[in-house]
Amino acid sequence: MKMESSLWLVPLMIALAASWSSTAVVQGQLKNGFYSSSCPKAEAIVRSAVESAFKDDPSIAPGLLRLHFHDCFVQGCDGSVLISGPNAERSAPQNLGIRGFEVIDAAKTQLEASCPGVVSCADILALAARDSVDLVTKIQLLNLLKQSNGPSWAVPTGRRDGRVSSASQAAVLPSPLDSIAAQRQKFAAKGLDDHDLVTLAGAHTIGQTECRFMSYRLYNFTATGNADPTISQSFLAQLQTLCPRNGNGLKKIPLDRDSHGNFDTSFFKNVKAGNGVLESDQRLWDDANTRRIVENYAGTIRGLFGFRFDFEFSKAMIKMSGVEVKTGRDGEIRKVCSRVN
């Protein structure tokens, strides 16, 4: 990572301190090192489980990140998405394709053997999301693909697990079809603003989606007979090759055209160029306020005239992971993450 001039570091750090201070209010009773006495190896155990899964399948990283996001948007970050059952949250259409449950279960099994009844499933999920991003960044560096610019962060812990999981409540989740107005409303309902919306959308710099979630943009978009006009012509041809009309809707395609294995800012450059894969991502360019944030992240001089995505993503994740958390005597500490005690 290149070192910019120290002249701008002071105001930057002041701004960061102010942001972290406001984030702490959202966290409530969460704190860094919550398990330092009750289960000192908790974070290391979660990390080991994530590393093991990542070694076998690196695509698990965006899966765990998405799983945490989906958990936090429904009833807060309480592990409710992990509960199984025909009418549980994870069975909702909005949660189609979410994955990573086996990684959380593996970590929980080890934690119960080491510290029974201490570490919540909600905290395991928050830690696993952080570790996933960190591992992607480490691989970037080890493979010498590029400088390691990805984020990592200290995860405030102390969440307790929810006892309710309902598929009907998953309707509040953001959708790939959402307009900016719809996205803004859903984020605002969780105390998240436009800056958080755009920053968290940047998680799509890693991972894949399936043709069925975006092919409607390529053929007869809104019954016009044409493709979505916001897609650049060169990218449209590429997408139509990847997802042909009446083709396999389950085929996976990268969410980031240029570097879906790297946690970087190319996602924002793609949105700026009309190369966003999901409609909801490309719509970030339609609104003046979200466009300004996209432009800041896509800028060529990182941190000097724009936002530092690695810093801002970490802050946004900490803020999101504090949404409507259960602490103290609320909720419970599940013994098995897929069912209430």
Side-chain angles (χ1 to χ4, degrees):
M1 186 183 300
K2 293 183 179 179
M3 297 295 293
E4 289 86 10
S5 170
S6 61
L7 293 178
W8 58 273
L9 285 176
V10 173
L12 173 63
M13 294 309 296
I14 292 173
L16 289 176
S19 298
W20 287 328
S21 176
S22 62
T23 299
V25 175
V26 180
Q27 299 304 314
Q29 299 178 46
L30 303 184
K31 67 177 183 178
N32 296 336
F34 182 85
Y35 299 110
S36 59
S37 297
S38 58
C39 191
K41 296 182 179 179
E43 296 198 21
I45 289 172
V46 175
R47 174 75 176 208
S48 177
V50 176
E51 284 181 342
S52 178
F54 184 81
K55 182 179 179 181
D56 293 337
D57 178 15
S59 72
I60 198 64
L64 287 168
L65 188 57
R66 182 187 179 205
L67 191 60
H68 180 45
F69 179 89
H70 280 230
D71 182 42
C72 290
F73 263 76
V74 183
Q75 303 184 83
C77 310
D78 66 349
S80 56
V81 74
L82 303 173
I83 297 174
S84 62
N87 298 311
E89 197 175 306
R90 66 195 273 183
S91 68
Q94 294 86 349
N95 282 322
L96 194 65
I98 57 174
R99 55 192 294 251
F101 299 101
E102 72 284 356
V103 182
I104 306 303
D105 290 341
K108 182 62 172 175
T109 298
Q110 296 176 54
L111 285 164
E112 284 300 302
S114 180
C115 315
V118 174
V119 182
S120 70
C121 300
D123 274 344
I124 295 172
L125 187 48
L127 291 166
R130 184 272 312 276
D131 291 340
S132 295
V133 174
D134 190 54
L135 284 169
V136 170
T137 300
K138 295 296 190 293
I139 290 297
Q140 288 175 215
L141 182 60
L142 290 174
N143 289 343
L144 300 178
L145 293 175
K146 59 186 297 181
Q147 288 185 330
S148 178
N149 293 327
S152 187
W153 58 96
V155 178
T157 44
R159 298 166 191 78
R160 289 172 65 84
D161 298 321
R163 297 189 179 98
V164 177
S165 183
S166 171
S168 63
Q169 295 188 10
V172 300
L173 280 165
S175 161
L177 284 67
D178 280 347
S179 65
I180 283 294
Q183 294 182 66
R184 180 175 281 137
Q185 185 277 325
K186 290 178 179 179
F187 274 72
K190 301 301 175 183
L192 303 171
D193 57 24
D194 281 3
H195 186 72
D196 301 316
L197 190 166
V198 177
T199 303
L200 291 170
H204 290 166
T205 186
I206 58 173
Q208 300 174 306
T209 188
E210 296 173 352
C211 287
R212 56 179 167 170
F213 296 125
M214 51 72 62
S215 59
Y216 69 92
R217 300 183 66 204
L218 311 180
Y219 312 100
N220 200 29
F221 182 67
T222 62
T224 62
N226 300 313
D228 184 342
T230 64
I231 306 174
S232 71
Q233 287 303 302
S234 61
F235 193 43
L236 175 61
Q238 182 180 343
L239 288 174
Q240 289 176 331
T241 299
L242 291 170
C243 300
R245 192 191 299 268
N246 300 321
N248 180 9
L250 299 179
K251 181 179 179 181
K252 296 185 183 299
I253 60 172
L255 283 166
D256 186 336
R257 178 186 188 184
D258 301 314
S259 59
H260 73 278
N262 297 332
F263 209 99
D264 55 24
T265 58
S266 67
F267 166 81
F268 300 104
K269 300 179 191 297
N270 283 330
V271 170
K272 183 177 181 179
N275 297 332
V277 174
L278 298 179
E279 181 181 359
S280 57
D281 288 343
Q282 192 56 53
R283 295 294 168 253
L284 298 175
W285 195 250
D286 292 348
D287 178 84
N289 194 42
T290 54
R291 183 191 306 128
R292 175 184 58 80
I293 302 167
V294 170
E295 284 185 310
N296 275 321
Y297 285 142
T300 56
I301 306 179
R302 297 175 62 254
L304 189 54
F305 296 120
F307 299 119
R308 287 284 301 273
F309 177 55
D310 47 356
F311 283 140
E312 298 296 326
F313 186 81
S314 298
K315 289 162 52 184
M317 284 296 294
I318 293 171
K319 185 176 178 181
M320 183 194 74
S321 71
V323 168
E324 299 169 4
V325 294
K326 295 171 177 62
T327 59
R329 296 188 177 184
D330 291 339
E332 64 183 15
I333 304 296
R334 282 185 225 138
K335 296 177 181 179
V336 178
C337 290
S338 60
R339 63 175 184 266
V340 298
N341 292 342

